[in-house]
Each structure stands twice: as C-alpha cells, then as structure tokens.
Amino acid sequence: MNQETLMKIENINLSRGGVTVLDIPELHVQRGRILALIGPNGAGKSTLLFMLAGLLKPEQGKIYFHGMPIESRAHLIQLRRNVSVVFQEPLLLNGNVFENVALGLKFRKINKAEIKDRVQNALAYFGISHLEKRSVRALSGGEAKRVSLARAFAIKPQIIMLDEAFNSLDPPLRETIIDDLKNTLNETKITAVLALHDREETLRLAQDVSVMNSGKIVQSGTTAQIFNQPDSEFVASFVGTETILEGTVRNCTAGNMIVDVNGREIEAIGDCSIGQKVFCCLRPENITISSKAQEKISARNVLEAKVSKIIRQGFFNKLILDCGFPLIAYITITSCEDLGITHGSIVHASFKATSVHVINREK
Amino acid sequence: MELIVQGIIKAFELIISFDPEVLGITWLSLKISGTATLISLFIGVSIGTAVALNNFFGKRFVISLINTGMGLPPVVVGLFVTIFIWRNGPFGFLEILYTPIAIIIAQAIIATPIVMGISLASIQNLSPNLRLQILSLGANRLQMVWVLIKEARLPLLAAVMAGFGGVISEVGASIMVGGNIKGYSRVLTTATVMETGKGNFDIAIALGIILLLLSFIINYLLTQIQQRQHPR
Amino acid sequence: MKVFRNSKVIITLMIAALLVAFGTSSVFAGKAANKQKNIILATTTSTQDSGLLDVLIPVFEKKTGYFIKTIAVGSGQAMKMGEKGEADVMLVHSPDAEKKFVEEGYGVNRQLIMHNDFIIVGPSADPAKIKGVKSSAEAMKMIAKTENLFLSRGDNSGTHAKEKKLWNKAEITPVGQKWYQETGLGMGQTLNVAAEKKGYTLADRGTYLALKKNLGLNILVEGDAALLNVYHVIEVNSAKWPKANAEGAKAFANFMVSKKTQEIIKKFGVDKYGSPLFFPDAGKKVEDLGK
C-alpha cells in the first residue's frame, strides 16, 4: 500500500507521580486512514491522543508532524490548528449552535461569509442544519454530540481525534451518529485517530488498530490483523477470539447475502448493497467440525479446511483452521479424539448463515 | 414607636422629594463603590483566572490566602490604607487621604479578594477538558482565557455583585480614609453613622432605606443569576 | 435573565460603567489636584454634630477658595493628628491638652474662638438626686456614691478630658467601677446610649440641644464655672511639619476670629433652639469667661 506518514511519535515517555503512564517507542499515523487506539480503561489511550493533539507535552521523545519535529511553541500552535479533538463530553459553550460550531473558525479570524458557509456545511454533514439557531441548553445528548462533531469538522482539520466520543450515548443513537461520522470521514478523507474501547465500534470505524495496555502499545496492525492474529494473550482476550473475516458483498437477495472472503463465498443474512465492504464475525463455539462433508445439513456454509494448530484450553480444544483464511473453532476433547483430528487433518467446518455477524464498513 | 413611624415617613419624603443632599450622597456612594468594584473586577478576575489556570508551587497556599482575603475586615484595611497614605506615610506625597480616591482604594482592596476568590472558583468549576477543547479548536492563550471568562460570566457577574454589595455597605474603612467630609467623601454608610450620632434619625433612616434598597436590588440580581445557573 | 444573555450587552455595560467611573474619578482627581487648596481640619465631634461647621465651612470656602476636609474626631485624636502632621488646623476644646500641645511645639497661634458650657444630664427620675446641685464635682460624687450608671465618652475627647478633671476634683476613681461605662463613641451617640440606659453623662450644651428632641434626658447640673467649655483654634507648626498647609491653616484661623464669623456663631441655633449654642469669644481672655 502506498502510505504516507502524517504523524509519527518516537520514544515518547510520560510519568505522573513516579508512575509511567506512557511509554511508546514508535507510532505512525497514516494520512487518510482511520487509526483506533483500543485498550482497557487507564491504558493511556486518551493521554496518547492528547499528546498527538498537542495538548500534552511528553517528558521525553519527539512528535513529528509532516516529518517536522514539534519543538517550539509556534510548532505546537501549528499542530493544534491542524488537529481537532472531540471529547467524551460535548463541551459546548454558552450560546447557540452556530456560535459553537463557528468558534474554531473565529479563533482563526476567518471572514464572516466563509464562517457561515463552513458552519452550515458542517451542520449538514451531521444532519443538524435545523438546530443552527438553537441554544445549546435546549439540545438533547445526541444533538449536543453532533454539534461537537460538526464543530470539529468545521475547521477542516488534517487530523480529527475522538476521545471515547460515543461512550455517553444510548445504543440506537450511537449507531446513527457512528454512521454519520463514518460517512463524513469517507467523504472528507480526513485522517482520524480514535480512542475506543468497544470492539464493535472499532470494527466499524477503524482501518488500523493499536492495542494499548498500561501505557504501552502491545500490538499494531490493520483491523483484520489485530482481530485475527492477536500476538499475545492480552490482545486476544481484549479483542475476543472471534474470527473476523474481511469481505465484500457479492450478492444480496431477500435478506440472504453472499460475501466474498479471499475468493471463498460465505452466506450470511442481512441487508446490504452489493459491493459493500463488511466484516463477518464468527464465534468459535458456533463452528461445527465433521470429518466428511454432510449430504444434507441446514448450515449454509460448509468449508473444507486444514487443521493448522490444536491448542488445549481446559476441557476443550481450540482449533485453528486454514480454509483460505484463518478460522477458529472450539470442540470438546472427546469429539477431537472421536474424529481423530491431528495437525494437518483435512476436515469440514460448517456454520449457519444466521451465526455470521455482519458489520458494515466503508462503502 | 412614634419615632420609627415618623422617621420612616420623613425618610420617604426625603427620597420621593429627591432631597439634594440624600441624592448626592447616594450618587457619590454609587460612583465610589462602582469604581472600586470595577478596579477589583480587573485585578480580581485576571489574577483569579491566572491562579485557576496555572499550576505552580504553593498554589493551595495562595488560594487559602485569597479565601482569607474574602473576609478581610474593612477597618483593618482602613487602618493600613490610612497608614500608607497619610502625609508622612510611604505614599503621603500623593495627598489622597480624606479623598474619595482613598475610599476607592480601600474599597477596591476589600472587594478584590472577594471577586478574585469567586472568579477563581468559577473558573476552576469549569470542566478541565473545556480548556483542552478550546485549545484544540486552535485558540491562542488569550483567546482561550477570554472564552473561559465568557463561559463563567454568570458566576463572575455574581462575583462583581458580591464585591459591590460588600463595599457599598462597608463603613469602617470609608470613615477612616474618607473622613466623612460633607459633599465630598460622605457616603451612605458614613452619613448614616453620623446622622444617627446627630440624632437626625429621619435622614439616617432614609439613608438606611436607600442602602437596603440597593442591597435588595443586588441580591435580587444575584439570585436571578444563581437560579439561571441551576435551572433544574 | 434575558438581560445577560447577550455578551455584547454585558461588554457594553462594562465599558459604559468604566467611562462613568473614570469620568467621575477624574473629577475627584481634579478636586484633589489643587493640593495647596486643601485644608485638613481636625475637630471635635461637637462642632460637627451641632451643625455649626455645616454653616461656617461653606462661607469660608466661598470666601477663600480653599477646600476644607473636616475630620470630626475627639479633641484628643484631633491633636494626635496634629502631632503627626496629618492635620493643618484644629478646632478643639481640651484646654490642658492644648496647652501641652503648643508647649511641645506641635501647634502655634492658639486662639480663643468661642465657648459654651458642659452640663450634667440624666433621666428625669434623677435617682442620684443631683438636680439643682451647684457644684459639678459634688454632683459627680453623689452619682458615684449612689452607684448610678454614668456613661463616659472614654475617647480622650475634650468632653472626656473635662469629665476626668471633674472626677479628680471629686476625688473619685471611677474607672473599673460597675456603674461606670465607657462608650468610646462621639457625643451624640453617647447621649443616645445614656438616654437608652437611663444613665447620667456629661455633655456639651450644643450637642445636647441639637439632640434633645429624641432623648428624654434632662439638664440636672449647669452653670458651674468648672463646666465651662472653651474652643480654641490651633494651627499646626509648619516648622515641624513642612508638608502642612500653613497658609490655609492661618486663613482658617483668621476666618474663625473674624467679626463676621463671630457674628454667625452668635446667632447659630437661635432660630432652632431659642438660644445660641455657642458664645463667640474672639479676642477675650479665658479667665474672663463665664463671669
């Protein structure tokens, strides 16, 4: 992939009260991509985000923006002016919606006509044009969140950073706001760094993921890499042991769809447009293993696979199968013995179309 | 009882008829206390904001000092201002003892910690992330401080009113540094003390009523502001 | 509170307030800038509380263009101000202290201005039975003996000095006695306290007459030569305090002894109380007073 590093940090170190809160040898933010920082509470996601946004100074190490190190106050202001941060709370100021969205533009002393134009544009992205004159005191939680997102986009930043921006929202509202954000990011091609701790949000929004724990980045990679090939127990437990398959919708009729994953077809249910990129998530306990392909079976997906690894986990075995893509299955130790499964065995893995959890990605 | 009734009747006569002396004293009080409050507003809000926004060694100590200053006894202020500005004091050359300026200085000293303390608290009460949010929207330091002050403007307004309420009703310092000079440095409180001493209870009551009225207006506005701050 | 909704309104109000404030403070400054025109007159409360100064000072200011800052305190404090050079001229009534003040070189040109007299006042019931007693010291003795409440100014004022002199004469040490209370207040307020507590007190006739209507205290002892209350004007010694406004002080002293002023003093209070509050004495000798 032809990637350009927009921001880079090197040997960052920060401690508070003698405790190291950040220790990051290296991190790249690629232009035009969406990077998620995920990890448990207190992992340092927000701290790292604020540091990237120029709001927090590292004790050691350097931050590069467009290849230039941030060294002076002027650099810092320069960085801040190109970054926009959306916080967990909406943090709106007294006044109406227009005034709030215009704030960043006013700081930049942009002329009135252009401010008006850009504010209205930003409001339209988040579907809140009708709220322009409303006082922020009269906004609902979701509306306030949209205003804070519009405010961040109005300044046309090079990078937008979101700090757990959806935490305080109820699930249905969260879905629609995430959709709006996704569309806006797609259309504007703005680079984004998101601190998240919800795996589904991560799957829906992020292209790259860095998993953090106790101030350190434990694994970085594309979303599929992180979810499918966790390289440590910590990452595995955090992202879950589901198989996450990246695919494209080939066909979709009456709620039945065919997703192309690395040339193999998976049947799932749902309503998607053709060409839509999706993640297909499969829970390992939903995979059935048989030594031969069954003649008649309700499961719509039957794939030939090779057992590449058997890991004993208490009372069951975890099988890592290769069927053109990695697939994880749990079976009991007895069935493993009954079927005579060993390394390299060829088996058939079957799962129902209804057990495929489809998550939409960008178009 | 008769004295009170008569006093109140006479007092209202004086107020309604716009008695020039009573009116003059009231206007002078407003000017002096208003100016003092304005000075305290600039000093108090800027220092209060600076202390609230910066972390430095001894910050808690400074905040305790400011909070102590909020209850500065006016007579103590009066005494020290007098010592500093009398003819043979360090600022004697200014020759401002027994002038309205001296009262303004003393009252500003009384009001400044009040305004400072309340500004400090109201800026500190804003969400700490709000500062970061404003900075991340591209504000320079001045723009950020200005936005924060605007955001805290209702509590700050309350600070100003508390300061004004404190000084307009203050007598100890005003009489010491102002001297209660007729038509020059005689304000509502000092005049009330003097008229009481002279046995002119009607005028004293009239002045007292005006002072009460001013206090009421101030407190009414304060309450309005506070109610607005907590609408639910 | 729609008023505060718009920040522009607030800013405009603030600027307006600023302009008014600075506009007016420049007026103050203008008045204070004429330093040589300011005279600080330290005086006893009785001259202010009786209203005499309210009549005299505008006449003086109009005539001379000086601006008088009257600081009404007790005679003792007035002379303390003079001692420190914080006043230019004093109008006081504490002869012994005044003499000392001049002898020590703090004041010059002590001139007799006027007199009235002190009176011993008390409740109409007069529990100490002093009404009509000729000697003031004798009356004080009776109050002490019957342990009736006596209110003292206790503020080193001229009245307080006179009172202490009377106790001395009566050979009584009242301080610390249960029936003896010090108010620390001016004459007017001490009279109010005496009225409220139904006690006795020593007062100057001028203040008493001015406050009489609300008091319910009666004159019980008067006319004793020992009760004479004499007011002098003293200029602060400018050799000692070069910052003092010597010319202004002189002008005020001259004004006080002038014929016209003495005439005003003579008539002051006649219309209101039926008798004068002060008797002009310029040019006379203290020894001749009260005869």
Side-chain angles (χ1 to χ4, degrees):
Chain A
M1 240 187 288
N2 186 20
Q3 286 188 350
E4 184 195 338
T5 299
L6 187 56
M7 270 190 98
K8 185 175 81 172
I9 59 179
E10 243 178 43
N11 299 320
I12 287 291
N13 211 305
L14 182 79
S15 59
R16 272 192 200 132
V19 179
T20 304
V21 288
L22 269 191
D23 175 16
I24 295 169
E26 197 177 21
L27 178 73
H28 292 259
V29 179
Q30 310 292 355
R31 183 195 278 277
R33 288 183 69 83
I34 303 170
L35 167 68
L37 304 173
I38 63 170
N41 284 333
K45 308 182 297 276
S46 302
T47 315
L48 176 58
L49 199 77
F50 291 164
M51 205 170 271
L52 286 169
L55 299 174
L56 201 65
K57 262 188 159 172
E59 279 162 0
Q60 274 173 34
K62 279 214 169 82
I63 301 175
Y64 295 85
F65 183 54
H66 286 290
M68 297 280 290
I70 306 295
E71 275 165 341
S72 65
R73 201 172 167 76
H75 288 156
L76 202 65
I77 302 267
Q78 185 62 26
L79 171 65
R80 281 188 198 148
R81 293 226 157 173
N82 285 301
V83 175
S84 185
V85 183
V86 179
F87 291 75
Q88 210 162 337
E89 324 96 276
L91 295 173
L92 301 181
L93 297 152
N94 278 317
N96 65 27
V97 168
F98 181 92
E99 286 162 0
N100 267 280
V101 178
L103 194 63
L105 303 171
K106 273 192 188 153
F107 289 151
R108 289 161 174 76
K109 306 214 163 37
I110 287 167
N111 71 58
K112 272 196 175 152
E114 197 186 336
I115 289 182
K116 197 170 156 66
D117 208 51
R118 279 165 71 169
V119 168
Q120 284 171 347
N121 222 333
L123 291 176
Y125 268 129
F126 291 94
I128 44 170
S129 298
H130 61 291
L131 299 176
E132 187 179 326
K133 296 273 176 277
R134 192 169 297 176
S135 159
V136 295
R137 287 172 181 277
L139 295 179
S140 70
E143 286 167 342
K145 178 56 71 184
R146 284 168 193 273
V147 173
S148 74
L149 284 165
R151 177 172 62 183
F153 276 97
I155 61 176
K156 294 190 180 162
Q158 293 187 25
I159 309 183
I160 188 152
M161 304 201 178
L162 276 74
D163 180 26
E164 312 258 7
F166 315 108
N167 270 14
S168 51
L169 299 172
D170 296 334
L173 198 63
R174 193 191 283 224
E175 301 302 305
T176 57
I177 290 182
I178 288 175
D179 281 340
D180 285 346
L181 174 66
K182 224 164 66 176
N183 292 336
T184 309
L185 284 173
N186 272 336
E187 280 174 45
T188 54
K189 302 280 176 236
I190 291 174
T191 310
V193 182
L194 321 171
L196 296 169
H197 70 225
D198 181 282
R199 46 193 305 279
E200 173 137 359
E201 279 170 16
T202 311
L203 286 168
R204 286 180 63 180
L205 287 165
Q207 296 167 322
D208 300 315
V209 176
S210 286
V211 187
M212 294 185 70
N213 189 27
S214 332
K216 289 188 168 70
I217 291 180
V218 288
Q219 192 180 354
S220 284
T222 63
T223 307
Q225 274 168 358
I226 295 292
F227 277 80
N228 287 325
Q229 294 150 33
D231 62 7
S232 66
E233 203 51 43
F234 173 80
V235 176
S237 70
F238 190 77
V239 300
T241 41
E242 273 182 298
T243 303
I244 313 279
L245 303 171
E246 213 174 351
T248 313
V249 178
R250 280 275 162 268
N251 200 355
C252 184
T253 41
N256 260 342
M257 56 183 174
I258 308 291
V259 181
D260 179 329
V261 179
N262 280 358
R264 303 194 72 151
E265 287 186 344
I266 287 180
E267 235 184 289
I269 55 160
D271 200 11
C272 278
S273 48
I274 292 166
Q276 168 84 51
K277 285 188 175 158
V278 293
F279 277 125
C280 295
C281 307
L282 286 162
R283 300 183 70 86
E285 59 270 32
N286 289 340
I287 313 288
T288 307
I289 302 294
S290 50
S291 49
K292 271 190 249 161
Q294 305 291 311
E295 271 178 23
K296 282 205 170 145
I297 186 167
S298 71
R300 303 294 297 164
N301 298 294
V302 180
L303 302 166
E304 197 183 72
K306 188 177 162 192
V307 177
S308 52
K309 214 172 189 182
I310 303 173
I311 304 156
R312 182 159 178 170
Q313 289 193 321
F315 302 113
F316 63 89
N317 277 341
K318 177 176 168 185
L319 303 187
I320 299 183
L321 308 167
D322 178 11
C323 39
F325 48 80
L327 184 68
I328 299 162
Y330 291 162
I331 55 171
T332 58
I333 293 160
T334 21
S335 57
C336 201
E337 284 164 358
D338 285 357
L339 292 170
I341 294 171
T342 50
H343 283 279
S345 306
I346 302 295
V347 294
H348 283 85
S350 44
F351 50 92
K352 297 158 72 132
T354 50
S355 65
V356 181
H357 178 41
V358 178
I359 296 173
N360 290 347
R361 307 187 66 225
E362 77 243 55
K363 276 176 186 135
Chain B
M1 197 58 212
E2 198 195 323
L3 173 72
I4 298 171
V5 174
Q6 273 188 351
I8 292 175
I9 292 171
K10 184 76 197 294
F12 274 105
E13 274 174 30
L14 285 169
I15 296 169
I16 292 163
S17 66
F18 293 108
D19 180 74
E21 178 154 10
V22 171
L23 214 64
I25 290 172
T26 308
W27 178 228
L28 186 69
S29 292
L30 286 173
K31 279 195 294 191
I32 288 178
S33 296
T35 312
T37 310
L38 216 66
I39 293 168
S40 71
L41 171 69
F42 285 111
I43 303 173
V45 170
S46 45
I47 296 182
T49 309
V51 172
L53 293 183
N54 290 300
N55 287 316
F56 51 89
F57 178 76
K59 178 170 173 167
R60 273 163 197 244
F61 179 73
V62 170
I63 293 176
S64 317
L65 275 186
I66 293 171
N67 286 336
T68 309
M70 288 174 83
L72 219 52
V75 282
V76 176
V77 175
L79 173 66
F80 278 97
V81 171
T82 306
I83 292 171
F84 271 87
I85 63 173
W86 69 23
R87 277 183 182 159
N88 302 300
F91 299 104
F93 63 93
L94 295 170
E95 303 212 8
I96 50 171
L97 189 57
Y98 308 128
T99 65
I101 292 174
I103 309 183
I104 290 173
I105 292 172
Q107 292 194 346
I109 293 173
I110 295 166
T112 298
I114 299 176
V115 175
M116 204 182 283
I118 301 180
S119 330
L120 197 152
S122 54
I123 295 284
Q124 277 187 328
N125 270 346
L126 296 173
S127 163
N129 276 349
L130 192 62
R131 271 170 77 188
L132 297 179
Q133 174 72 84
I134 293 164
L135 284 177
S136 82
L137 285 168
N140 59 34
R141 203 164 166 78
L142 211 67
Q143 286 170 326
M144 177 196 71
V145 170
W146 179 237
V147 170
L148 286 180
I149 288 175
K150 256 173 51 184
E151 191 60 15
R153 66 179 185 263
L154 291 177
L156 287 180
L157 208 62
V160 170
M161 289 190 179
F164 184 76
V167 293
I168 193 136
S169 57
E170 170 285 324
V171 64
S174 298
I175 212 159
M176 283 171 92
V177 303
N180 189 30
I181 298 163
K182 191 180 178 181
Y184 179 63
S185 66
R186 184 168 295 173
V187 293
L188 281 168
T189 50
T190 61
T192 307
V193 169
M194 188 199 64
E195 296 297 350
T196 307
K198 282 164 78 168
N200 293 333
F201 293 106
D202 44 7
I203 299 177
I205 292 172
L207 296 170
I209 288 174
I210 293 171
L211 202 56
L212 269 177
L213 223 63
L214 288 174
S215 294
F216 174 75
I217 293 170
I218 292 161
N219 279 303
Y220 178 77
L221 292 176
L222 259 176
T223 314
Q224 288 292 329
I225 291 165
Q226 278 157 356
Q227 292 303 315
R228 198 175 127 81
Q229 274 300 92
H230 305 287
R232 279 168 281 240
Chain C
M1 291 299 295
K2 286 232 167 69
V3 192
F4 301 113
R5 233 197 169 106
N6 195 335
S7 56
K8 273 180 193 151
V9 173
I10 293 179
I11 293 163
T12 318
L13 277 176
M14 278 180 179
I15 291 169
L18 245 183
L19 289 178
V20 169
F22 282 108
T24 49
S25 52
S26 65
V27 171
F28 300 151
K31 223 168 182 175
N34 296 324
K35 286 168 193 163
Q36 290 311 313
K37 287 285 171 197
N38 284 338
I39 302 169
I40 297 178
L41 165 65
T43 183
T44 154
T45 51
S46 53
T47 54
Q48 175 165 289
D49 285 0
S50 62
L52 177 65
L53 288 179
D54 287 350
V55 175
L56 290 180
I57 284 173
V59 177
F60 173 73
E61 287 180 345
K62 207 170 165 193
K63 198 174 149 195
T64 61
Y66 280 110
F67 178 68
I68 291 255
K69 296 180 179 175
T70 310
I71 309 303
V73 288
S75 291
Q77 200 185 331
M79 274 180 280
K80 268 279 178 305
M81 285 173 68
E83 261 180 51
K84 283 181 287 185
E86 298 301 333
D88 301 311
V89 61
M90 282 146 290
L91 179 60
V92 284
H93 66 140
S94 192
D96 295 342
E98 289 165 28
K99 276 177 209 154
K100 199 171 153 232
F101 181 77
V102 174
E103 273 165 23
E104 285 172 1
Y106 295 114
V108 291
N109 289 336
R110 178 167 174 258
Q111 296 181 75
L112 179 61
I113 299 298
M114 61 190 182
H115 79 273
N116 61 7
D117 59 345
F118 287 107
I119 46 180
I120 299 177
V121 298
S124 46
D126 187 19
K129 303 270 179 287
I130 60 165
K131 190 171 169 67
V133 174
K134 281 276 167 282
S135 157
S136 49
E138 187 60 33
M140 302 286 267
K141 224 179 240 171
M142 288 163 75
I143 294 170
K145 214 170 173 184
T146 55
E147 301 202 338
N148 274 294
L149 182 64
F150 186 93
L151 280 309
S152 166
R153 290 274 296 274
D155 61 351
N156 276 331
S157 59
T159 311
H160 190 212
K162 172 67 82 180
E163 180 210 312
K164 284 197 281 194
K165 207 168 167 182
L166 291 177
W167 288 121
N168 243 345
K169 211 169 155 192
E171 294 173 334
I172 285 166
T173 316
V175 180
Q177 303 286 344
K178 227 164 124 187
W179 49 268
Y180 184 81
Q181 294 180 0
E182 296 181 68
T183 63
L185 300 169
M187 192 69 257
Q189 276 169 309
T190 301
L191 277 166
N192 284 329
V193 175
E196 209 51 50
K197 296 195 161 191
K198 293 196 167 30
Y200 294 89
T201 192
L202 180 74
D204 67 285
R205 189 182 292 268
T207 311
Y208 170 75
L209 286 178
L211 265 73
K212 194 179 159 192
K213 55 180 177 176
N214 298 320
L215 284 176
L217 292 173
N218 293 345
I219 300 179
L220 300 173
V221 177
E222 59 184 332
D224 183 358
L227 289 175
L228 204 62
N229 180 20
V230 193
Y231 291 85
H232 285 84
V233 65
I234 311 174
E235 298 159 37
V236 166
N237 187 358
S238 60
K240 199 154 192 140
W241 299 110
K243 282 183 185 168
N245 185 352
E247 273 171 47
K250 173 136 248 114
F252 182 73
N254 288 342
F255 166 78
M256 287 305 284
V257 298
S258 72
K259 219 171 186 175
K260 225 171 158 183
T261 308
Q262 293 279 309
E263 204 58 33
I264 297 173
I265 294 173
K266 193 172 171 182
K267 283 183 190 147
F268 176 73
V270 176
D271 51 343
K272 213 168 167 188
Y273 308 109
S275 63
L277 298 185
F278 299 96
F279 302 93
D281 295 320
K284 291 185 201 165
K285 283 183 176 164
V286 181
E287 300 79 54
D288 299 333
L289 297 181
K291 283 180 181 167

